[in-house]
Amino acid sequence: MSDFVYSHIPGDEATGLTLVLLHGTGGDEKDLLPLGRKLLPGATLLSPRGKVLEDGMPRYFRRLRENVFDLLDLRFRTNELADFLARFEGPLIAVGYSNGANIAASTLLLRPEIFAGAVLLRARVPIEPDVAPDLSGKSVLVSGGRRDPIISPQGSVELAQTLRGYGADVTLNQENAGHELTAAELELARDWVGKFAAGLRERTSVAG
Ligand code: MLT
């Protein structure tokens, strides 16, 4: 397995969480670092760059054309990313945008052990798992855009329903926006991640 190019910024012990930042098509490992800092100050930030190039633009998996994914490649890339992430200390929370949100969703479905929770900004159901994943105990925020020409609002609804069907606690937000993110939904994501982190700390200290 050749390694990922990635950014890794250690956080403070008190926060004790790692945000795995997964960029959109054409992005890189630096793109979402400011978002990560905003969502949970003090969290460790880990951001791998997608290894697939589409006309020179990094992505996490191949697509045949817009919205038609190469499912063999998606399966392979999901496992490759999951194996890479498994080397880092958790709990890991995915924060993905667009193509990054799609591979985060694929990781939840194919390798459910990797993420404790996920923020999926503009994602849809990327793949049907052969084995039903157990997502109970995991929390996911799905945020779609009502006018998104790439990920339809229905795509976000189906993703939320699919993840719920496997036991995840899913919050679905539909923004009055297209594929681009809004300041309002980033505030919502910040509140969501803050609550998620507090809940996780509480459960860990009760258990420990
Ligand atoms: C994808 O290919 O993952 C989605 O269509 C989003 C994108 O990257 O344009």
Side-chain angles (χ1 to χ4, degrees):
M1 178 183 76
S2 66
D3 239 326
F4 283 84
V5 174
Y6 65 98
S7 293
H8 185 239
I9 301 177
D12 57 43
E13 298 239 325
T15 309
L17 281 179
T18 297
L19 297 183
V20 177
L21 306 167
L22 300 165
H23 61 78
T25 301
D28 68 20
E29 70 283 5
K30 308 263 185 251
D31 263 22
L32 298 185
L33 296 176
L35 175 64
R37 283 192 197 100
K38 179 182 160 85
L39 291 185
L40 191 63
T44 294
L45 303 179
L46 172 60
S47 186
R49 185 196 299 173
K51 284 192 191 183
V52 169
L53 288 180
E54 183 184 273
D55 298 328
M57 296 186 294
R59 289 174 50 85
Y60 291 98
F61 57 89
R62 261 168 50 82
R63 62 180 163 183
L64 305 176
R65 53 180 188 279
E66 193 161 285
N67 262 319
V68 181
F69 299 158
D70 177 337
L71 295 180
L72 270 183
D73 188 62
L74 174 54
R75 201 172 280 278
F76 172 78
R77 298 290 171 190
T78 301
N79 281 310
E80 183 184 48
L81 180 67
D83 291 344
F84 169 75
L85 294 175
R87 294 195 243 141
F88 293 86
E89 275 207 26
L92 305 181
I93 302 171
V95 176
Y97 169 61
S98 190
N99 182 245
N102 282 333
I103 197 147
S106 179
T107 307
L108 283 170
L109 294 170
L110 302 184
R111 295 287 297 271
E113 75 280 12
I114 298 294
F115 294 127
V119 175
L120 306 177
L121 306 165
R122 307 294 184 276
R124 66 171 174 92
V125 178
I127 195 163
E128 299 294 332
D130 296 330
V131 180
D134 178 7
L135 299 181
S136 52
K138 300 189 195 283
S139 297
V140 182
L141 172 64
V142 175
S143 190
R146 289 203 182 89
R147 290 178 278 103
D148 189 338
I150 301 171
I151 308 284
S152 70
Q154 188 53 27
S156 307
V157 170
E158 283 166 10
L159 176 60
Q161 283 168 347
T162 299
L163 297 173
R164 270 186 203 129
Y166 293 126
D169 176 10
V170 181
T171 304
L172 173 63
N173 173 60
Q174 296 275 28
E175 223 29 45
N176 275 324
H179 200 59
E180 77 291 351
L181 302 176
T182 71
E185 76 185 313
L186 296 185
E187 285 304 311
L188 178 90
R190 194 171 58 120
D191 287 352
W192 188 92
V193 172
K195 286 195 188 111
F196 180 89
L200 212 58
R201 273 198 298 274
E202 211 164 279
R203 269 183 279 160
T204 319
S205 64
V206 170

